[in-house]
Amino acid sequence: MNTALFKVDPESPDERVLARAAAILAEGGLVAFPTETVYGLGADATSDRAVARIFEAKGRPQDNPLIVHVSTRDAVPRLAREISPIAESLMDRFWPGPLTLVVRKSTVVAGRVSPGLDTVGIRMPAHRVALRLIGLAGVPVAAPSANASGRPSPTTAAHVMQDLGGRIEAVVDGGPCGVGVESTVLDVTVTPPIILRPGGVTKEEIEDVLGAVVVDRGGAVDGRPRSPGMKYRHYAPRARVYVVYSGPQGDAVTAGMRLSERAAQFARDGSRVGILASAETLQSAAGSAGDDEPSGDRVIWLDAGSESDLPAIAAHLFDNLRRFDDLGVDVILAQAFPETGMGLAIMNRLLRASGGRVISDGD
Ligand code: TXA
Ligand code: MG
């Protein structure tokens, strides 16, 4: 299949171009499109046939439910069996935006969107292109992240083409995504609500509205995980990822030393090593590196951004992981970041990408 690439201006997208993409969706085709978080792979959420093709194109496990995207709040009552006052107040505060609400689903939602579940995740993205595309399609749009299953989520149209080019009808290119990590998934069918996946809206922001909120740590209810997507390895580049902790947060000198030491070990064993470190850590490591740096060109440092700006680190996280693949590294050492604000989503993605490979102080 030839994948069409539709380029649009994210601020004022050409209606005629979006109408062509919307027509593909309305006819049951697959269209990838930008949102404020990551690129989504869209299909008509009311059609089992269209939704089935998403799973096929991504190679996604059948039991991992999809998020349904709407362009107005008025679309929600058709999709949900009940909308609690708590859900209403969260929509008031965070929509359009990176918050997915898990609610009881209606029969309008195609069964394959959330197989075996009584619920559906719904969100209204804060992105002009996404909103207009969904509006023109005239149907709610089921859309997982537009990566091949298991890979880092795409934050540019080029990432989508790398993974899904030739497997889907079209990609709408609206430039890079701003948030860079996916939406926060919040189950509001339980009290207090549970964060199933940390994301673009922080735990602290939700607590501002709700008071208490619980973060799911992968627990199961009746023998099945609450968040089916969480049981799979995810966000993973080709290289092996290790998350490296180094004593007190914010100690750039210690972090730089530990990352350099570990990298030198892997490099001695013949690996090409990528290090993802904060700007602060990078600076301290550059300051202390001698001329006789043993690991030489077998170690590549990438600047993740400043620790004082965690949203900026999130914005480039997946792109940085993919860049290491382009650079051909075998091992990625990722510095551990503080788990406050956007740090919770960043660490969730890094730990999932690592598949549990963690290097901590005592190791
Ligand atoms: O930012 C985002 O959320 C992006 C953009 C495209 O909107 N979408 C996205 O979708 O990240 P996906 O499919 O990659 O991740 C959806 C997550 C999975 O972890 C899935 O298990 C969870 O949401 N999820 C979806 N529906 C659910 C439901 N009914 N119950 C529990 N978890 C659900
Ligand atoms: Mg995903």
Side-chain angles (χ1 to χ4, degrees):
M1 181 184 309
N2 202 357
T3 300
L5 189 61
F6 298 125
K7 207 166 162 57
V8 295
D9 176 347
E11 296 311 320
S12 63
D14 186 330
E15 285 278 311
R16 285 161 310 179
V17 176
L18 289 187
R20 283 171 65 196
I24 296 174
L25 282 174
E27 285 159 17
L30 300 183
V31 177
F33 60 95
T35 78
E36 80 280 34
T37 58
V38 301
Y39 273 73
L41 176 60
D44 176 356
T46 65
S47 159
D48 268 318
R49 263 176 75 179
V51 169
R53 289 200 45 217
I54 290 181
F55 288 88
E56 205 181 301
K58 281 184 58 108
R60 181 176 175 109
Q62 295 286 340
D63 64 347
N64 191 359
L66 307 177
I67 294 170
V68 175
H69 296 66
V70 296
S71 60
T72 72
R73 252 176 87 165
D74 300 341
V76 177
R78 254 187 94 223
L79 304 172
R81 265 207 330 270
E82 59 187 28
I83 306 161
S84 66
I86 283 183
E88 296 279 3
S89 57
L90 290 163
M91 290 184 221
D92 284 341
R93 171 71 196 275
F94 297 110
W95 280 17
L99 178 68
T100 295
L101 296 174
V102 172
V103 299
R104 304 220 176 278
K105 71 179 172 187
S106 79
T107 51
V108 169
V109 180
R112 292 202 180 183
V113 166
S114 52
L117 297 176
D118 184 34
T119 56
V120 62
I122 307 178
R123 94 175 186 97
M124 178 173 167
H127 196 291
R128 246 190 212 108
V129 173
L131 291 174
R132 197 63 195 125
L133 177 68
I134 298 163
L136 287 168
V139 291
V141 174
S145 49
N147 50 283
S149 192
R151 299 265 301 146
S153 298
T155 54
T156 67
H159 295 164
V160 178
M161 280 304 229
Q162 273 170 18
D163 281 17
L164 300 178
R167 306 176 68 84
I168 62 179
E169 275 80 4
V171 180
V172 179
D173 181 353
C177 303
V179 177
V181 292
E182 302 88 339
S183 64
T184 301
V185 178
L186 185 70
D187 184 347
V188 289
T189 67
V190 290
T191 318
I194 301 183
I195 294 179
L196 299 179
R197 177 180 71 183
V201 169
T202 65
K203 175 172 183 270
E204 293 85 343
E205 286 171 319
I206 294 172
E207 281 172 342
D208 256 4
V209 177
L210 297 187
V213 62
V214 176
V215 180
D216 180 47
R217 298 287 174 190
V221 190
D222 301 333
R224 64 196 299 170
R226 267 184 211 285
S227 185
M230 288 301 185
K231 64 181 186 237
Y232 300 105
R233 177 144 186 259
H234 222 124
Y235 314 120
R238 274 178 276 280
R240 257 177 309 144
V241 179
Y242 293 81
V243 176
V244 182
Y245 290 86
S246 54
Q249 282 295 347
D251 177 354
V253 177
T254 310
M257 272 166 38
R258 282 193 64 86
L259 288 163
S260 305
E261 273 166 29
R262 284 296 166 155
Q265 273 171 20
F266 280 110
R268 269 199 301 276
D269 294 342
S271 295
R272 251 171 100 79
V273 187
I275 302 179
L276 185 64
S278 69
E280 291 81 0
T281 300
L282 225 77
Q283 240 181 4
S284 109
S288 63
D291 296 335
D292 55 342
E293 187 56 56
S295 29
D297 61 359
R298 302 194 71 83
V299 178
I300 303 162
W301 294 72
L302 282 188
D303 184 350
S306 168
E307 266 163 74
S308 66
D309 188 359
L310 293 172
I313 293 184
H316 300 111
L317 183 68
F318 289 133
D319 186 51
N320 280 329
L321 293 179
R322 282 178 183 258
R323 270 170 68 193
F324 278 129
D325 276 346
D326 298 339
L327 292 165
V329 306
D330 309 298
V331 171
I332 297 171
L333 303 180
Q335 176 179 355
F337 297 104
E339 295 204 359
T340 54
M342 284 295 275
L344 193 62
I346 294 170
M347 286 304 292
N348 170 273
R349 304 308 186 269
L350 284 177
L351 288 167
R352 301 281 312 285
S354 77
R357 288 188 205 93
V358 164
I359 300 174
S360 52
D361 237 7
D363 298 349

